[in-house]
Amino acid sequence: MIIGNPSAWLVKFQDVHEKVLHVIKDVWPDCAGRFHADALENRITDQLALMLQRDPRSRGYWCVIPQLKLLDSDSKGDVVTKGFIDFVVIFDLNQEKYIAYECKRLNVLFPSRFQTLADKYVNEGVMRYVTAQYAQDLPFGVMIGYVLDSNVPNAVTAVKNQIENKSKGLHCIGVSPIKNLPPVSFIIRFKSDHLRPNGKIEVQHLLLPLSP
């Protein structure tokens, strides 16, 4: 739980994420080069998390934890599992303060047909932030899209269309639900803001090409 000014904490989350983002930029070419266009999401994510853990910039500044199990209690006080976050970055002694990174594949060529998977990205990714399944009581979270055919413009359009078409259900804030952010090298990014019962959350979206 965040105690204090939520706006001040949002700035802290954004600042840590900017540093993590540059590490992602540097390790991604090596990470992506280990996979083909039919790679599975969890394999890519585990490799990325491992390389982030081993980067010298991570040590002493934050802790990267893959597949974080989210625990809660039911009405009787018994433990229940809410789900798993692909990986988180913990940057504070309070382990409830973390940046969640949820990862999805985009633009996948299956044996039957090509699919953007932008609907799954939104329904099974972004929505988990909106419902506070992920980043509960936190002001910030991140989505990463692995663009397996490296056609990032196509993937960006598909994801943005999904968010815009589902903006009401996603409780998007503002007339335009999406705001573009400056790219970081080959990483195209934008953000969306969402209203939740306990406040609002900013979700940053990073789209990474398999061939940067």
Side-chain angles (χ1 to χ4, degrees), residues 16-174:
V16 173
H17 168 65
E18 283 292 318
K19 294 179 173 64
V20 175
L21 172 60
H22 281 81
V23 182
I24 292 175
K25 170 184 70 71
D26 291 343
V27 304
W28 178 249
D30 185 13
C31 177
R34 300 167 185 268
F35 299 99
H36 299 291
D38 59 351
L40 298 179
E41 175 186 300
N42 286 345
R43 287 285 296 166
I44 301 173
T45 301
D46 287 348
Q47 183 69 44
L48 177 59
L50 176 64
M51 297 178 81
L52 292 175
Q53 287 177 330
R54 290 180 172 177
D55 190 278
R57 287 165 290 183
S58 293
R59 297 167 187 168
Y61 293 97
W62 54 71
C63 180
V64 179
I65 302 178
Q67 293 298 318
L68 178 70
K69 180 186 286 190
L70 297 173
L71 302 178
D72 205 344
S73 56
D74 61 17
S75 59
K76 297 179 181 179
D78 295 328
V79 66
V80 294
T81 300
K82 290 176 58 179
F84 295 83
I85 303 176
D86 285 325
F87 70 91
V88 303
V89 169
I90 297 177
F91 59 91
D92 189 270
L93 291 177
N94 180 352
Q95 63 182 357
E96 293 183 352
K97 294 176 187 170
Y98 61 81
I99 302 176
Y101 290 79
E102 177 66 7
C103 308
K104 298 295 181 188
R105 296 186 301 168
L106 294 168
N107 288 9
V108 180
L109 181 61
F110 293 97
S112 58
R113 63 191 176 98
F114 171 85
Q115 295 185 54
T116 67
L117 296 184
D119 55 343
K120 183 177 180 180
Y121 177 100
V122 171
N123 297 338
E124 300 179 17
V126 180
M127 186 60 77
R128 291 175 181 172
Y129 287 111
V130 177
T131 61
Q133 180 180 349
Y134 295 167
Q136 183 176 357
D137 298 321
L138 301 176
F140 187 82
V142 180
M143 289 291 305
I144 296 180
Y146 304 133
V147 186
L148 296 190
D149 70 349
S150 296
N151 189 342
V152 175
N154 173 274
V156 168
T157 298
V159 169
K160 286 183 175 180
N161 285 342
Q162 282 285 321
I163 294 174
E164 290 170 350
N165 292 338
K166 298 174 180 178
S167 60
K168 185 175 181 180
L170 292 170
H171 302 290
C172 293
I173 300 172

